[in-house]
Amino acid sequence: MGDIMRPVPFEALLTRIFDEYQNHRSIFGIPEQQFYSPASPNRLTVFGESCATPVGPAAGPHTQLAQNIITSWLTGGRFIELKTVQILDRLELEKPCIDAEDECFNTEWSTEFTLKKAADEYLKAWFILHLLEEIFPLTPMKGGKSFIFNMSVGYNLDGIKQPPMQEFINNTINSSKHPKFAEYVRILQKWVNDEDFIKSMGLESRKARLQSLPSRISPELVHGVTLSTMHGCPPDEIEKICQYMLEEKSLNTFVKLNPTLFWPTPISSESWRSEEH
């Protein structure tokens, strides 16, 4: 993977995906024969959300690009942990950032994109996965999509409470008021109402459902969050962040385990509120 990641505009992504598919029957180099389709229609329920497989990419540089999120879906990933974001979103770091001479330590405190760029990548991937699930019903599920987006944030409560992080978190929970959401709805409407596109993809029999897709895409990208903390983060700081996410943001909360931490189970916001804390 290159040192510099370059976002691709939403409509350019759509053009790349479907031009490649029509010319080569592949998307991002993955042949259609290798698009994941399960042998049986199993599903996994996680805090009220359903996904078709219990696997997917963990947060990392790869999940900060829309095209990589799409690639993970094509190959079977359905629980998608978005790249961790934090308030310090413009750090300059030497690469590689893993010191592995003896024990392996991650030496960075980073996010590859600014918060605004990261939010845009996640929104682009959200729209495109809904479209791909309509066109390629590889894991059809009653009641909607077969995948889950899981937000990931770090690294301390003070940073999480800063206005730019609050804007990112709130827009990821519900992006209905974000100008990019309305823009992508308009672009998607143009594509699914294009008769040439429908005909070239052989979608005439599903035309009506396809054209209703933009109005059916929920602005709520996530209902859960994973907390990523630095090694040595005090337990009381972790507890405060979890309490904040559960009580203030009503997000089902996972804690990513570092070797020095032990957290036996993820916690739903509903169960947290039902107990005394």
Side-chain angles (χ1 to χ4, degrees), residues 30 162 224 243 247 254:
I30 301 170
Q162 297 304 308
Q243 183 173 0
E247 295 182 352
F254 300 77

Side-chain angles (χ1 to χ4, degrees), residues 150-217:
N150 181 255
M151 177 166 49
S152 180
V153 301
Y155 291 100
N156 57 39
L157 184 56
D158 181 62
I160 287 169
K161 287 184 174 181
Q162 297 304 308
M165 278 292 289
Q166 288 293 297
E167 181 182 9
F168 173 88
I169 292 169
N170 292 337
N171 281 331
T172 309
I173 293 172
N174 190 324
S175 60
S176 59
K177 296 181 180 179
H178 195 289
K180 288 287 188 180
F181 187 87
E183 177 186 342
Y184 295 161
V185 166
R186 288 195 299 271
I187 292 172
L188 196 60
Q189 284 174 334
K190 182 181 74 172
W191 275 72
V192 299
N193 284 283
D194 186 322
E195 295 292 339
D196 290 336
F197 173 70
I198 291 173
K199 184 176 180 180
S200 68
M201 294 294 294
L203 298 169
E204 292 90 342
S205 64
R206 287 183 278 153
K207 176 180 174 180
R209 179 168 174 81
L210 183 65
Q211 291 180 337
S212 71
L213 175 64
S215 64
R216 291 187 280 112
I217 295 178

Side-chain angles (χ1 to χ4, degrees), residues 6 36 61 88 122 159 190 235:
R6 295 177 175 85
Y36 174 79
L88 301 177
Y122 303 155
K190 182 181 74 172

Side-chain angles (χ1 to χ4, degrees), residues 122-128 130 145 149 217-218 220-221:
Y122 303 155
L123 197 56
K124 285 187 285 190
W126 180 254
F127 272 86
I128 291 174
H130 278 83
K145 62 184 176 60
F149 273 14
I217 295 178
S218 171
E220 298 177 2
L221 274 65

Side-chain angles (χ1 to χ4, degrees), residues 16 20 26-31 34:
R16 160 67 194 272
E20 180 185 341
S26 66
I27 297 176
F28 298 133
I30 301 170
Q34 294 181 13

Side-chain angles (χ1 to χ4, degrees), residues 97-111:
C97 61
I98 303 295
D99 178 5
E101 290 185 6
D102 184 5
E103 300 177 33
C104 291
F105 291 98
N106 189 335
T107 61
E108 68 172 329
W109 211 46
S110 71
T111 178

Side-chain angles (χ1 to χ4, degrees), residues 30-272:
I30 301 170
E32 183 176 23
Q33 299 91 329
Q34 294 181 13
F35 294 174
Y36 174 79
S37 183
S40 58
N42 295 325
R43 72 173 187 172
L44 173 72
T45 300
V46 183
F47 294 140
E49 292 189 274
S50 295
C51 59
T53 67
V55 297
H62 50 294
T63 58
Q64 199 143 63
L65 277 175
Q67 51 266 46
N68 289 344
I69 295 172
I70 295 163
T71 299
S72 74
W73 178 87
L74 289 168
T75 54
R78 294 296 184 269
F79 189 92
I80 298 167
E81 187 182 55
L82 305 172
K83 172 67 173 76
T84 308
V85 296
Q86 58 144 331
I87 188 61
L88 301 177
D89 62 352
R90 290 175 173 83
L91 294 176
E92 295 291 334
L93 298 158
E94 292 185 6
K95 300 293 179 69
C97 61
I98 303 295
D99 178 5
E101 290 185 6
D102 184 5
E103 300 177 33
C104 291
F105 291 98
N106 189 335
T107 61
E108 68 172 329
W109 211 46
S110 71
T111 178
E112 280 68 33
F113 282 164
T114 63
L115 290 164
K116 289 185 181 297
K117 282 186 178 181
D120 189 30
E121 290 300 293
Y122 303 155
L123 197 56
K124 285 187 285 190
W126 180 254
F127 272 86
I128 291 174
L129 289 193
H130 278 83
L131 177 60
L132 291 178
E133 292 216 325
E134 200 66 53
I135 293 174
F136 304 108
L138 303 173
T139 49
M141 294 178 65
K142 293 181 179 178
K145 62 184 176 60
S146 73
F147 60 90
I148 294 173
F149 273 14
N150 181 255
M151 177 166 49
S152 180
V153 301
Y155 291 100
N156 57 39
L157 184 56
D158 181 62
I160 287 169
K161 287 184 174 181
Q162 297 304 308
M165 278 292 289
Q166 288 293 297
E167 181 182 9
F168 173 88
I169 292 169
N170 292 337
N171 281 331
T172 309
I173 293 172
N174 190 324
S175 60
S176 59
K177 296 181 180 179
H178 195 289
K180 288 287 188 180
F181 187 87
E183 177 186 342
Y184 295 161
V185 166
R186 288 195 299 271
I187 292 172
L188 196 60
Q189 284 174 334
K190 182 181 74 172
W191 275 72
V192 299
N193 284 283
D194 186 322
E195 295 292 339
D196 290 336
F197 173 70
I198 291 173
K199 184 176 180 180
S200 68
M201 294 294 294
L203 298 169
E204 292 90 342
S205 64
R206 287 183 278 153
K207 176 180 174 180
R209 179 168 174 81
L210 183 65
Q211 291 180 337
S212 71
L213 175 64
S215 64
R216 291 187 280 112
I217 295 178
S218 171
E220 298 177 2
L221 274 65
V222 302
H223 296 276
V225 62
T226 292
L227 169 62
S228 178
T229 60
M230 298 300 289
H231 299 280
C233 183
D236 60 338
E237 178 76 1
I238 295 170
E239 183 176 6
K240 289 176 183 176
I241 298 171
C242 291
Q243 183 173 0
Y244 178 80
M245 288 298 178
L246 290 160
E247 295 182 352
E248 300 298 325
K249 299 300 183 184
S250 297
L251 287 169
N252 305 315
T253 302
F254 300 77
V255 177
K256 185 170 290 185
L257 296 180
N258 286 326
T260 55
L261 303 178
F262 175 71
W263 195 278
T265 57
I267 305 171
S268 72
S269 59
E270 182 179 352
S271 65
W272 176 272

